[in-house]
Amino acid sequence: MTEELAARDAYLRETTATVVAVTADGVVLDRTVFYARGGGQPGDTGVLEWEGGAATVTDTVKRDGAVVHHVVGEAPPVGTAVMARIDWERRHRLMRTHTALHVLSAVVWGDFGAKVTGGNMEPGEARMDFELEGISVEFGREVEARLNAALVAGHQVAVHFMPRSAALGDPDLIRTKVNLIPESVDPIRVIEIGTIDKQADGGTHVANTREVGPVRVVGTESKGKENKRMRIVQSEPTADS
Ligand SMILES: [Zn+2]
């Protein structure tokens, strides 16, 4: 098992750690700030540094409770003390993108009663699919306006750990399919955005929706009956954001 520091504090950029295993595809540490790919969020990239060496981390995945850092070049041997540092610029963009997606899902559910059927993100851009009969450019514009209004409202984004039994009885978490989380997971990590959204989630988020910045809806398309896709992109943060 790897202690996953980002689960409690998404703003940690680096940590000291010890190599506990080296596998064919990467390095396992006793603890890490790297986010392992999952829930539509890509794995972190960055660097491991140690006395006399360094390795670039190209991706991070989770396997049997262990976080595996995919490295290029020579891996540090077991027992080595390392500094594990993420590519913060990329990760922060992903945090903004991930929070934007949750607010998008809250707007489309709250104002139009449509559930999310899927989604995926890259730094600064994402797509989300909804259980909608139809979709239009005008609808996209309407959602874009409501999404940006919700973001600038400055909702706090909180991380909770809820006992599984309580999570399974929460209507918001039921709607977002908390029951599909493996039974061994207890407590369940929950991301709550002000009063507008609450869902079980493993990802990294900004602390306040204002930090997301402006978001544009750049595409609306049909992916089948009752399945409509929306694409969003983020503006780069300005000096005063
Ligand atoms: Zn999420």
Side-chain angles (χ1 to χ4, degrees), residues 114-216:
K115 289 184 190 176
V116 172
T117 55
N120 202 44
M121 74 197 84
E122 294 297 331
E125 59 180 86
R127 63 171 170 78
M128 191 161 252
D129 297 340
F130 296 96
E131 209 175 270
L132 282 166
E133 294 260 338
I135 198 161
S136 64
V137 174
E138 292 69 31
F139 181 78
R141 280 202 205 102
E142 178 70 33
V143 169
E144 179 182 279
R146 291 177 189 228
L147 170 58
N148 283 292
L151 292 171
V152 299
H155 297 286
Q156 292 293 329
V157 182
V159 181
H160 308 293
F161 289 85
M162 271 177 88
R164 186 181 177 85
S165 54
L168 288 174
D170 184 299
D172 290 325
L173 300 180
I174 292 168
R175 173 174 61 78
T176 51
K177 303 195 171 70
V178 69
N179 60 309
L180 297 184
I181 294 172
E183 260 184 57
S184 59
V185 179
D186 192 0
I188 287 177
R189 186 171 179 273
V190 172
I191 298 293
E192 190 165 16
I193 303 181
T195 54
I196 63 171
D197 191 64
K198 185 161 63 163
Q199 45 185 299
D201 191 83
T204 56
H205 291 262
V206 292
N208 186 291
T209 58
R210 213 177 280 130
E211 202 174 320
V212 173
V215 174
R216 285 187 298 137

Side-chain angles (χ1 to χ4, degrees), residues 84-128:
R85 184 179 302 119
I86 56 172
D87 176 344
W88 170 249
E89 204 179 308
R90 176 177 179 274
R91 155 70 93 66
H92 186 243
R93 199 166 289 144
L94 280 165
M95 286 160 61
R96 292 164 57 220
T97 307
H98 201 156
T99 301
L101 276 184
H102 280 220
V103 176
L104 174 64
S105 75
V107 165
V108 176
W109 167 252
D111 295 355
F112 304 99
K115 289 184 190 176
V116 172
T117 55
N120 202 44
M121 74 197 84
E122 294 297 331
E125 59 180 86
R127 63 171 170 78
M128 191 161 252

